Amino acid sequence: MSSTNTKPRIAFFDFTCCEGCQLTVADALQTHFDLLGAVEIVNFREMISEKSDDYSIAFVEGSCTRTKDEVRLKAIRDHAQILVALGACAHIGGVNAIRAGLDVAGVRRYVYGERAMLIETDSILPIDAVVPVDAYIPGCPIDREEFVRTVKALLLGRVPILPDYPVCIECKIKENVCLYTIDKACLGPITRAGCGAICPMSGIGCEGCRGMISNPNIQSLKDVFSENGFDEKTLVETMTIFLSYQMMESEL
Ligand code: SF4
Ligand code: SF4
Ligand code: SF4
């Protein structure tokens, strides 16, 4: 039954993930009462027990790993006018995709041992491999302020455009010393900006949680790795953390 409340009704759903992005949303809402007052939240397992199929904006966290996930995701898509991928697991498969391209039965045995056949799990898919997605909030976890900006834009009828330039740009704007000069590896040259280069600014190499830019120069990154004494195995291992699905899809 439709609500008489005229506020936009928003809903949150989770698939295979750690639910850290929804926790980040809950945290963001504690300091953005304006946003909380502008919408009606009708599904949010971490915050409310009520549930409704009457919503206009759906935020989906997590990857699809089972056939029944795809069925459920398609039903959510049917109900929502706007569907948003929330976090790296939904956006690019995230850490779930570490096993992309591996033998699923073997991975299942390795993780679950004798109980392997009781656990249903199949290929890892980001949600846009199953349904059309209108907007993305990348990251592991998402950035609080990017979530707030995205919701405000959607409420104004705009779809936020993600930066399509690398983390290195933000790192340089902040006049950070490049980590390669202190013998640390970093995926900043191929990773989508928008996080403010938070990891390199803290002395930690970017692991690519926001996904690759649309035209990553992998050969150039390989050269940078090699010139700085890192072997190809290290490059592959570093990229595998978040970028496995994108690498598999791009045949990198
Ligand atoms: S993107 Fe990261 S924080 Fe968000 S649900 Fe996935 S693993 Fe958790
Ligand atoms: S530290 Fe990383 S993000 Fe910063 S300039 Fe160097 S490679 Fe780019
Ligand atoms: S620096 Fe890289 S790993 Fe860190 S938050 Fe930004 S995109 Fe993610």
Side-chain angles (χ1 to χ4, degrees):
M1 187 190 302
S2 292
S3 166
T4 52
N5 192 327
T6 55
K7 290 180 184 177
R9 291 165 68 85
I10 69 173
F12 294 83
F13 302 96
D14 43 83
F15 289 79
T16 300
C17 65
C18 79
E19 298 190 24
C21 289
Q22 283 186 95
L23 275 179
T24 306
V25 170
D27 186 39
L29 291 174
Q30 291 188 69
T31 49
H32 287 277
F33 296 120
D34 52 340
L35 189 60
L36 204 47
V39 298
E40 186 179 359
I41 299 175
V42 299
N43 271 293
F44 199 153
R45 194 164 65 86
E46 291 186 2
M47 287 174 62
I48 59 174
S49 47
E50 293 82 4
K51 290 180 181 165
S52 170
D53 285 334
D54 178 15
Y55 47 82
S56 55
I57 306 176
F59 292 87
V60 175
E61 182 192 42
S63 321
C64 284
T65 61
R66 302 168 296 185
T67 305
K68 63 184 178 190
D69 291 345
E70 296 180 33
V71 173
R72 179 172 164 240
L73 180 57
K74 285 174 183 169
I76 293 168
R77 174 72 269 188
D78 285 346
H79 283 108
Q81 290 161 28
I82 297 168
L83 189 137
V84 184
L86 189 70
C89 296
H91 173 211
I92 51 172
V95 289
N96 297 323
I98 287 174
R99 67 175 168 82
L102 300 180
D103 166 45
V104 175
V107 170
R108 201 159 26 172
R109 269 196 311 280
Y110 181 81
V111 175
Y112 299 109
E114 291 175 359
R115 299 175 65 83
M117 297 323 292
L118 300 176
I119 309 294
E120 187 187 352
T121 186
D122 207 327
S123 303
I124 296 290
L125 295 174
I127 63 170
D128 66 3
V130 180
V131 295
V133 171
D134 301 299
Y136 298 85
I137 305 178
C140 178
I142 59 163
D143 178 89
R144 289 164 182 73
E145 297 310 316
E146 189 170 23
F147 168 77
V148 172
R149 281 198 308 276
T150 301
V151 178
K152 287 183 176 175
L154 293 173
L155 294 179
L156 292 169
R158 293 189 281 109
V159 174
I161 296 171
L162 293 177
D164 198 15
Y165 49 84
V167 170
C168 288
I169 301 285
E170 292 177 325
C171 192
K172 292 293 94 187
I173 287 172
K174 294 190 172 185
E175 301 184 356
N176 193 34
V177 174
C178 181
L179 294 181
Y180 281 103
T181 66
I182 54 170
D183 300 328
K184 290 186 178 179
C186 179
L187 297 185
I190 59 160
T191 301
R192 187 180 298 280
C195 61
I198 188 170
C199 300
M201 293 296 293
S202 306
I204 301 165
C206 173
E207 292 179 339
C209 80
R210 292 178 60 87
M212 286 190 268
I213 51 175
S214 59
N215 60 343
N217 190 335
I218 301 295
Q219 185 53 53
S220 173
L221 182 66
K222 282 181 182 172
D223 293 344
V224 169
F225 256 66
S226 168
E227 285 161 14
N228 287 277
F230 299 105
D231 58 19
E232 189 145 345
K233 181 168 173 283
T234 307
L235 174 63
V236 171
E237 285 174 355
T238 310
M239 290 183 70
T240 299
I241 300 169
F242 286 106
L243 304 174
S244 293
Y245 184 86
Q246 285 190 306
M247 284 197 292
M248 190 180 72
E249 284 297 287
S250 325
E251 298 179 355
L252 294 174

